[in-house]
Amino acid sequence: MTTIDNHASRHVTMDEIVTTVIMARVTDFFGFFVYAIASAIVFPQLFFPNFDPVTGTMLSFLLFSLAFIARPVAGLLGRRVQRRLGRQWKVVAALMILGTSTVAIGLLPGYEKAGVAAPLLLAVMRFLQGIGLGGAWDGLTLQLQNAAPKNRNGFYAMIPQLGGPLGFVVAASLYFVLTGFLTDAEFMQFGWRFAFFAVFAVNVVALFARIRLLEADFGGDRAPLQSAPFRELLDTQWRPIVVSTFLPLASYALFHMVTVFPLAYALLYTDQPISNILLYQLMGAILGVFGVIMSGILADRIGRQTVLWISTSLIVLLCLSIGTLESAPWVFILLGFLLLGFAYGQASAIVPNRFPAEFRYSGTAVATNLSWLFGAAFAPLAGLVLTNAFGLWAAALYLLSGVIVTSVTLYLFQRWTRRQLA
């Protein structure tokens, strides 16, 4: 295994980079999905009991989007902190905000005890979670790509993406156990809170490994890991930022349509036990891991752009199966997770290398936060609103909108790339 020396004579192996990147991303997504699942099965009853179940869930999903709205703001604040204190302290501060707000959510009283203050406090804590998530951008994925062998870029680009399905496996497993061993009353009273406390404990452990790698000097060109002047970034790199923002939208829209939306739909419109849906999703997330790995293997053989075209086209076919959520939810869930892994595995790795080295870190950070905002923030809410107004088939329209945006962006990106080569 190749070793990379830093100026302090400490050796950092590729194994250490890979392990730390996976650990960091799994813990990030674990906390992400702990809140996401609770927003479907806990918060509508706990914080909005004075509304009908559908409206309460819509309000819960509206608060769910606040973290994504906060992420671009956090990116701008994080630039200032990084410029003054450095990348390591920026990440530490962001993760402390994330951890504190997450634990605070687990301690919040419900509407019956605190009235309207309860959902307002939840909104504040959710916004702070977004500040923590957006500010914790650490560039580890860029370090991994920079250190990867040139002929295996696709495989190494998918490694950070494993955090999505693996993080969901951990979060869903925890809820599956809690809902299985506790009564409904016990789960709503105190059981769900343990999931948020677990997030803080896991993040503290992962923080040390992440900081250790952030402090390593990998030698060579450090430009890809430096923050660039914001005005110059927008003036000169607006095109790759726009492409990087909208290219992964199909996979990001699918993200919450297979993780959060089925839980809400099962509770509101079917008699399916929530434990069954969680079990199907656990099985699906495992398939999603294989989908991510498959995307990396195929990307090195047929190219990332071809993989993205194939996965985007398959999402159209997946939309035809959304009706199975009514009576056979495992069909849509299993197929959806497998396709999610395949689409998500390479969606965000195509453009970053098109940034000049000095803009790569900042450009990728800005585009990542904007992608989550446009692609994923309102997916559960849009799916539920469309379903409530027109029927389950209409929820597929949100997925199709992501497919259209990704397809148009990929087409324009290929034309732009050909002009650059010419």
Side-chain angles (χ1 to χ4, degrees), residues 62-97:
L62 189 62
L63 297 191
F64 173 77
S65 67
L66 290 177
F68 301 93
I69 297 172
R71 287 184 67 153
V73 178
L76 296 177
L77 295 175
R79 291 172 57 84
R80 295 189 176 185
V81 175
Q82 180 169 332
R83 190 164 55 246
R84 295 184 179 183
L85 302 178
R87 188 160 57 113
Q88 294 87 352
W89 283 108
K90 181 201 76 167
V91 173
V92 171
L95 290 178
M96 289 300 295
I97 293 173

Side-chain angles (χ1 to χ4, degrees), residues 90-157:
K90 181 201 76 167
V91 173
V92 171
L95 290 178
M96 289 300 295
I97 293 173
L98 176 60
T100 302
S101 58
T102 300
V103 171
I105 291 174
L107 296 172
L108 287 179
Y111 182 87
E112 293 183 356
K113 291 185 177 180
V116 71
L120 289 178
L121 287 172
L122 178 63
V124 172
M125 293 303 107
R126 181 57 175 167
F127 191 84
L128 288 176
Q129 276 192 318
I131 294 293
L133 284 168
W137 168 257
D138 48 26
L140 289 181
T141 55
L142 295 180
Q143 286 179 303
L144 180 60
Q145 291 181 27
N146 292 338
K150 296 299 181 184
N151 60 340
R152 303 198 68 192
N153 286 337
F155 183 82
Y156 280 89

Side-chain angles (χ1 to χ4, degrees), residues 29 34 122 128 174 177 222 226 269 283 317 341 390-391 399:
F29 277 102
V34 160
L122 178 63
L128 288 176
L174 185 56
V177 172
R222 298 289 295 172
Q226 301 301 318
Y269 299 104
M283 297 166 60
L317 298 179
F390 305 106
L399 285 176

